[in-house]
Amino acid sequence: MAMVCLLDFEAYAEKYLPKIAWDFFAAGADECSTRDENILAYKRIRFRPRMLRDVSMLDTRTKILGTEISFPVGIAPTGFHQLACPDGEKSTARAAKAMGTCYIASTYSTCSLEEIAAAAPGGFRWFQLYIHRNRAVSRQLVQQAEALGFQGLVLTADLPYTGKRRNDVRNGFQLPPHMKLKNLEGAFEGNDRSEYGLPPNSLDPSVTWDDIYWLRSLTHLPIIIKGILTKEDAELAVRHGVQGIIVSNHGGRQLDGAPATVSEKMDHSSGTKSGNRGYCQCSR
Ligand SMILES: Cc1cc2nc3c(=O)[nH]c(=O)nc-3n(C[C@H](O)[C@H](O)[C@H](O)COP(=O)(O)O)c2cc1C
Ligand SMILES: CCCCCCC(=O)C(=O)O
């Protein structure tokens, strides 16, 4: 059957993926109220179409941080692509390049940054960072991403601890033994990989705005903060000299009860006074 829209891909994935993988991809935190509200908030949006405007020539191109993309949608960072496809993030990188848009590769990719870069030479890519307690690991990843030609550094700010995704807990989610978080191989001691393929508590929950200065000292890349949900934090981002923010509630996988990404309660103009732009992501 022809795949016509994203919902068709979603239904296909639910039918054919192992339950443990599907549940991971579909997860929301706790009661999933924010995850579900993300979709409902989009459905409530109504356009105000104007007529007789000569639409014979359409141009959907736009720019993010000065780089042109063919349409105003990029690919958000998501971990563990090999759970869905053996080629993993290499396929995602190729698809993004073919579509002329930006791919943000996750720290928790199942392909290495080198493999991702080699799969789609010249593609427009940013690297998404989670900061680990072992700062040397994070420093090395940032510097490797820059050396490989990634063009932006996205710091995910909304995961000091992992949200409680109930089905992952029920399923006892583990990465299959043949799958590795390639960017973090050799980064940790011991054999316990019980938290999403990582040792428990490997992320650093003590990260603050001051760490933006630390990141700045490591790289010349533009820094974008992902997971901003309030005007106050957007303003702090501007004050700390970052080049962009991504308005996001992490697909409702983190703080259940947070507003929908396109909620009318959000002030999407935050930060624009000093020329910074907020990027709004599509949920799921
Ligand atoms: C399966 C899955 C894995 C994800 N992995 C990451 C990740 O590794 N890093 C990250 O910053 N966000 C991750 N996210 C969150 C997405 O980047 C994105 O924020 C979310 O899917 C869309 O919600 P939003 O519109 O609130 O941003 C993941 C989301 C999903 C569904
Ligand atoms: C130890 C943290 C695992 C997080 C996995 C990737 C991610 O961000 C997600 O939302 O899932």
Side-chain angles (χ1 to χ4, degrees):
M1 196 177 53
M3 306 289 257
V4 176
C5 64
L6 284 178
L7 289 177
D8 290 349
F9 284 93
E10 193 172 5
Y12 186 92
E14 183 169 13
K15 185 168 174 193
Y16 290 106
L17 284 178
K19 177 174 161 40
I20 193 168
W22 167 254
D23 282 349
F24 166 75
F25 288 128
D30 298 295
E31 293 177 9
C32 302
S33 58
T34 295
R35 180 198 67 178
D36 297 343
E37 179 60 18
N38 276 337
I39 304 298
L40 296 174
Y42 274 106
K43 285 187 197 284
R44 280 197 295 272
I45 294 173
R46 289 292 171 268
F47 297 117
R48 193 171 162 273
R50 301 295 306 279
M51 302 301 155
L52 302 175
R53 297 261 161 169
D54 186 358
V55 288
S56 56
M57 299 285 280
L58 299 177
D59 184 358
T60 57
R61 287 173 304 163
T62 186
K63 285 187 175 176
I64 36 177
L65 294 186
T67 301
E68 186 174 290
I69 54 176
S70 65
F71 66 124
V73 178
I75 302 186
T78 50
F80 311 149
H81 290 195
Q82 283 182 349
L83 284 175
C85 160
D87 221 22
E89 291 80 5
K90 289 185 282 184
S91 283
T92 319
R94 282 188 210 107
K97 184 179 171 189
M99 292 302 295
T101 195
C102 181
Y103 169 39
I104 312 178
S106 167
T107 293
Y108 297 151
S109 296
T110 42
C111 299
S112 67
L113 293 183
E114 285 104 328
E115 289 171 324
I116 293 169
F124 177 27
R125 280 183 288 275
W126 290 350
F127 169 62
Q128 176 268 322
L129 180 75
Y130 282 122
I131 297 184
H132 291 92
R133 288 177 198 266
N134 182 346
R135 294 292 180 104
V137 169
S138 301
R139 185 182 64 231
Q140 195 260 328
L141 279 176
V142 170
Q143 292 174 338
Q144 187 189 14
E146 184 166 6
L148 285 166
F150 284 71
Q151 290 156 259
L153 175 67
V154 176
L155 173 67
T156 295
D158 58 10
L159 204 141
Y161 299 98
T162 314
K164 187 170 179 183
R165 297 125 190 218
R166 292 179 182 172
N167 282 340
D168 289 350
V169 179
R170 291 183 184 112
N171 295 333
F173 179 89
Q174 295 281 331
L175 278 187
H178 64 280
M179 235 171 262
K180 300 277 177 272
L181 297 178
K182 288 271 191 73
N183 295 314
L184 297 168
E185 274 193 307
F188 304 108
E189 290 170 3
N191 295 322
D192 185 352
R193 297 287 180 272
S194 55
E195 194 177 352
Y196 293 96
L198 296 159
N201 302 313
S202 58
L203 286 167
D204 187 347
S206 76
V207 174
T208 70
W209 288 102
D210 284 343
D211 289 299
I212 304 300
Y213 301 124
W214 173 67
L215 288 179
R216 186 73 292 155
S217 75
L218 302 181
T219 178
H220 298 103
L221 293 176
I223 296 175
I224 300 103
I225 312 275
K226 174 173 183 280
I228 297 298
L229 284 171
T230 62
K231 185 171 184 298
E232 292 88 335
D233 279 349
E235 285 165 358
L236 278 167
V238 173
R239 286 223 298 276
H240 285 78
V242 306
Q243 280 67 48
I245 60 169
I246 297 176
V247 176
S248 166
N249 60 32
H250 211 110
R253 298 162 76 82
Q254 283 302 110
L255 178 64
D256 198 29
T261 303
V262 292
S263 159
E264 58 283 356
K265 295 190 187 73
M266 284 293 309
D267 178 358
H268 289 291
S269 64
S270 304
T272 53
K273 265 186 280 177
S274 40
N276 290 44
R277 301 286 299 274
Y279 298 108
C280 185
Q281 292 186 208
C282 181
S283 294
R284 279 248 171 126

